[in-house]
């Protein structure tokens, strides 16, 4: 039974996290698309996404995104003797045509008159500047933006988002995600997107580009419909789900139905209001090979920085430090997103107001890892917990999301229905758990129409310490009541 209860806890956590749906990430799928289009080749070690890009690689990507690779090679063949940089001879010969063409066009400069320093790291700011130039914008004096504001300008134009770039730890992973995103953005010259321009310039094969262009078009339609939903962080919704959890040799089926009301201001997380009421049904395997049905009423509330939980009549409260949990995450930017980032989507299709989407699970796994790391730093084991055999490793969370498919139908007034089909492997409490889940959600109200309703007895909820003390007192009283009375034997009269 202990194993089953642990499974229930883990499954509930998985459902809650994915339904709320959370920088390190993995954008291999973006690299795959770029390679298919002939814009990215990787290296002998593969895509090599987990290392920093260098200046030679950045220059190469810029020329390709400008659609000038053939022109650059032709130019270098005719002008190799004029190439001013002498430090590309040892291992960077392949980059000479790209650097030469960019230098001739005034789009890059050397470190000195005779050196380019091709192996030096390319920063996020430098690469962002390259991308904006590829889109036709200028950072020259009197141009469209300045170098020091390149990232802000790129964010405004939709090239940079909170998922596709980590400025403090800039990697080739970021390069492919940003480059893929840039292909979907309209260039200054007015084409629908940069990829369409490259096809028109004969720099990318039209047949290979067609399915990618369709993805861009469908995602643009989705994002236009999504704006009404993204405009509010308050919602009143119903949700139901079915779930299967496998823990070692144990398989548990569960289902649940809940009503949820949330009002939140990302700038004031401590003021978040939430009410979730419903029930969880668990089919527990028994020793005789049958199953035993367990109905578990569940309630959870958040008010004034405190989380209240009522499970099977046990009412517990705990301070909720959301600021610490989400430390390092820009929650205003996250909750204020009005578009679904391209790099987080593997595929998308449209039928009227209904969209079917498969998420980039590799990218989400990186985000979950970072979020879980923040959460587990808050776990502090008491001496009593240690005495019971609990260790810090048991509270370390890991998640490998292998499937995340959603179907969203948009309605008037910012309302929407959503279906989700997910599969994942979680590690928690020292156990490995395989989880599959299907979920349906329907919003009933959004915005100011949402009202979070609380029970009148929140003042009776107790902390874990208080509940533990009560249980110990009750156990001691029970022991005293059931202890056998001491038998007094009369003294034997003296003879």
């Amino acid at each position: 039974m202990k194993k089953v209860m642990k499974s229930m806890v883990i499954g509930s956590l998985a459902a809650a996290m994915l339904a709320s749906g959370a920088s390190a990430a993995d954008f291999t799928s973006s690299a795959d698309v770029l390679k298919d289009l002939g814009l990215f080749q990787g290296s002998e070690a593969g895509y090599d996404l987990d290392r920093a890009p260098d200046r030679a690689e950045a220059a190469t990507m810029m020329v390709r995104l400008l659609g000038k690779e053939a022109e650059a090679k032709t130019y270098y063949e005719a002008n190799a003797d004029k190439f001013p940089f002498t430090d590309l001879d040892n291992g960077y010969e392949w980059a000479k045509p790209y650097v030469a063409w960019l230098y001739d066009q005034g789009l890059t400069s050397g470190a000195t008159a005779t050196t380019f320093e091709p192996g030096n790291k390319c920063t996020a700011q430098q690469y962002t500047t390259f991308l904006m130039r590829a889109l036709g914008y200028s950072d020259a004096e009197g141009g469209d933006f300045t170098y020091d504001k390149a990232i802000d300008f790129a964010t405004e134009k939709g090239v940079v988002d909170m998922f596709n770039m980590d400025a403090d730890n800039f990697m080739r992973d970021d390069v492919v995600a940003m480059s893929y995103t840039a292909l979907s953005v309209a260039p200054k010259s007015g084409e629908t997107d940069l990829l369409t321009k490259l096809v028109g310039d004969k720099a990318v094969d039209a047949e290979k580009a067609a399915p990618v262009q369709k993805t861009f078009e469908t995602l643009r339609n989705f994002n236009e419909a999504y704006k009404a939903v993204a405009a509010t962080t308050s919602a009143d919704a119903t949700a139901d789900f079915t779930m299967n959890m496998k823990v070692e040799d144990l398989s548990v089926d569960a289902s649940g139905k809940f009503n949820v009301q949330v009002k939140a201001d990302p700038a004031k997380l401590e003021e978040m209001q939430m009410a979730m009421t419903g029930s969880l049904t668990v089919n527990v395997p028994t020793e005789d090979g049958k199953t035993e049905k367990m109905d578990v009423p569940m309630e959870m509330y958040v008010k004034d920085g405190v989380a209240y939980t009522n499970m099977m009549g046990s009412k517990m409260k705990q301070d909720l430090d959301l600021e610490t949990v989400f430390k390092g995450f820009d929650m205003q930017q996250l909750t204020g997103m009005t578009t679904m980032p391209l790099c987080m989507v593997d595929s998308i299709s449209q039928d009227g107001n209904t969209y079917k989407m498969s998420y980039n699970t590799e990218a989400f796994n990186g985000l979950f890892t970072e979020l879980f790391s923040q959460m587990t730093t808050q776990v502090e084991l008491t001496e009593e917990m240690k005495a019971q055999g609990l260790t810090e490793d048991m509270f370390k969370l890991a998640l490998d999301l292998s499937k995340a498919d959603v179907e969203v139908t948009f309605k008037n007034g910012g309302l929407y229905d959503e279906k989700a089909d997910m599969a994942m492997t979680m590690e928690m409490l020292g156990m490995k758990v395989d989880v599959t889940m299907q979920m349906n959600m329907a919003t009933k109200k959004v915005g100011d129409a949402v009202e979070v309703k609380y029970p009148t007895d929140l003042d009776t909820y107790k902390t874990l310490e208080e509940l533990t003390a009560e249980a110990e007192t009750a156990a001691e009283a029970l022991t005293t009541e059931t202890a056998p009375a001491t038998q007094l034997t009369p003294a034997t009269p003296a003879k």
Side-chain angles (χ1 to χ4, degrees):
M1 181 57 71
K2 288 182 178 179
K3 187 183 294 183
V4 173
M5 293 306 294
K6 286 183 178 180
S7 303
M8 290 168 57
V9 171
I10 295 172
S12 298
L13 281 171
M17 291 173 186
L18 289 172
S20 63
S23 102
D26 186 337
F27 296 115
T28 300
S29 59
S30 296
D32 288 338
V33 175
L34 293 174
K35 182 179 180 181
D36 289 344
L37 295 174
L39 300 174
F40 184 71
Q41 296 179 359
S43 65
E44 293 180 357
Y47 289 149
D48 219 7
L49 300 181
D50 58 351
R51 69 167 175 80
D54 58 39
R55 282 168 51 84
E57 292 165 342
T60 301
M61 281 298 298
M62 183 180 178
V63 171
R64 288 174 178 163
L65 291 174
L66 284 167
K68 301 297 183 181
E69 183 169 24
E71 182 177 320
K73 291 180 177 179
T74 300
Y75 170 81
Y76 181 71
E77 288 176 1
N79 298 277
D81 57 332
K82 299 178 182 178
F83 189 64
F85 305 123
T86 61
D87 57 348
L88 279 80
D89 291 327
N90 298 317
Y92 285 97
E93 290 86 354
W94 55 268
K96 287 183 177 180
Y98 308 99
V99 175
W101 187 85
L102 289 174
Y103 182 74
D104 178 70
Q105 297 293 314
L107 295 174
T108 191
S109 58
T112 68
T114 58
T115 61
F116 182 74
E117 296 184 352
N120 280 13
K121 289 183 180 180
C122 175
T123 67
Q125 190 168 7
Q126 289 170 343
Y127 194 70
T128 301
T129 302
F130 278 168
L131 287 180
M132 300 319 294
R133 291 173 182 170
L135 285 163
Y137 295 101
S138 171
D139 59 322
E141 185 175 353
D144 303 292
F145 69 101
T146 58
Y147 176 76
D148 62 318
K149 297 294 184 180
I151 294 177
D152 291 338
F153 185 71
T155 301
E156 176 188 328
K157 295 298 181 182
V159 174
V160 170
D161 57 56
M162 68 177 296
F163 294 99
N164 69 6
M165 186 190 75
D166 184 349
D168 296 327
N169 188 32
F170 192 65
M171 296 289 173
R172 282 166 59 89
D173 202 40
D174 303 291
V175 166
V176 295
M178 292 172 65
S179 300
Y180 181 40
T181 302
L183 288 179
S184 70
V185 174
K188 187 178 180 180
S189 51
E191 289 84 354
T192 302
D193 49 51
L194 179 58
L195 180 56
T196 298
K197 182 178 185 301
L198 293 177
V199 171
D201 292 343
K202 308 297 183 183
V204 172
D205 180 80
E207 185 175 347
K208 290 183 177 180
V212 183
Q213 290 172 305
K214 183 62 177 178
T215 295
F216 292 171
E217 177 188 0
T218 306
L219 187 59
R220 279 192 289 267
N221 293 341
F222 174 90
N223 284 332
E224 185 62 32
Y226 181 67
K227 287 180 180 179
V229 174
T232 179
T233 54
S234 300
D236 186 338
T238 60
D240 64 80
F241 70 89
T242 58
M243 178 187 299
N244 174 264
M245 295 168 286
K246 290 184 173 64
V247 188
E248 298 175 356
D249 58 346
L250 184 68
S251 179
V252 178
D253 291 317
S255 61
K257 292 185 177 182
F258 295 91
N259 293 306
V260 184
Q261 297 91 39
V262 179
K263 292 180 75 85
D265 181 346
K268 302 176 181 178
L269 286 176
E270 70 281 0
E271 296 180 7
M272 184 180 80
Q273 303 175 45
M274 188 195 79
M276 183 179 75
T277 59
S279 63
L280 180 69
T281 299
V282 184
N283 295 311
V284 184
T286 58
E287 293 181 359
D288 59 3
K290 299 181 180 180
T291 59
E292 178 181 346
K293 183 178 179 181
M294 294 176 56
D295 289 318
V296 185
M298 296 178 64
E299 300 176 21
M300 182 174 178
Y301 308 95
V302 176
K303 184 179 182 182
D304 299 330
V306 179
Y308 301 86
T309 305
N310 182 354
M311 178 181 282
M312 302 178 70
S314 178
K315 300 179 179 181
M316 185 176 72
K317 65 180 180 180
Q318 181 180 8
D319 290 337
L320 188 64
D321 187 359
L322 292 174
E323 296 289 349
T324 301
V325 170
F326 293 105
K327 181 180 180 182
F329 288 80
D330 189 338
M331 293 307 296
Q332 293 190 60
Q333 184 180 3
L334 178 62
T335 55
M337 280 174 32
T338 58
T339 60
M340 173 60 65
L342 173 65
C343 63
M344 305 303 285
V345 177
D346 268 348
S347 65
I348 184 171
S349 62
Q350 178 182 0
D351 182 8
N353 292 328
T354 298
Y355 295 81
K356 293 183 179 181
M357 189 183 314
S358 291
Y359 286 118
N360 178 354
T361 56
E362 294 175 334
F364 271 106
N365 285 335
L367 297 174
F368 278 125
T369 298
E370 185 170 347
L371 178 59
F372 288 161
S373 176
Q374 295 287 352
M375 293 172 63
T376 53
T377 57
Q378 293 192 77
V379 177
E380 294 184 7
L381 297 181
T382 64
E383 291 303 320
E384 183 177 355
M385 294 169 71
K386 293 178 182 178
Q388 293 176 354
L390 297 177
T391 65
E392 291 184 357
D393 286 341
M394 290 182 177
F395 290 90
K396 290 182 178 179
L397 304 172
L399 185 146
D400 181 9
L401 185 65
S402 57
K403 180 181 182 181
D405 297 339
V406 298
E407 179 180 309
V408 182
T409 299
F410 293 102
K411 300 180 177 181
N412 293 331
L415 300 178
Y416 66 98
D417 295 340
E418 182 174 354
K419 299 178 181 179
D421 187 3
M422 305 179 189
M424 72 205 82
T425 297
M426 293 190 68
E427 291 187 23
M428 182 182 176
L429 300 179
M431 295 187 302
K432 180 180 179 181
V433 185
D434 293 317
V435 181
T436 57
M437 181 175 65
Q438 294 76 42
M439 183 180 68
N440 299 298
M441 184 175 69
T443 55
K444 299 182 295 182
K445 299 177 183 178
V446 294
D448 295 337
V450 176
E451 180 183 1
V452 180
K453 298 180 180 180
Y454 297 103
T456 58
D457 64 343
L458 289 183
D459 59 338
T460 67
Y461 284 57
K462 298 178 180 180
T463 65
L464 178 61
E465 291 77 11
E466 290 172 333
L467 291 174
T468 301
E470 286 185 358
E472 291 175 349
T473 300
E476 291 175 1
L478 182 61
T479 301
T480 301
E481 291 175 3
T482 58
T486 302
Q487 301 294 320
L488 297 177
T489 303
T492 302
K495 294 183 178 179

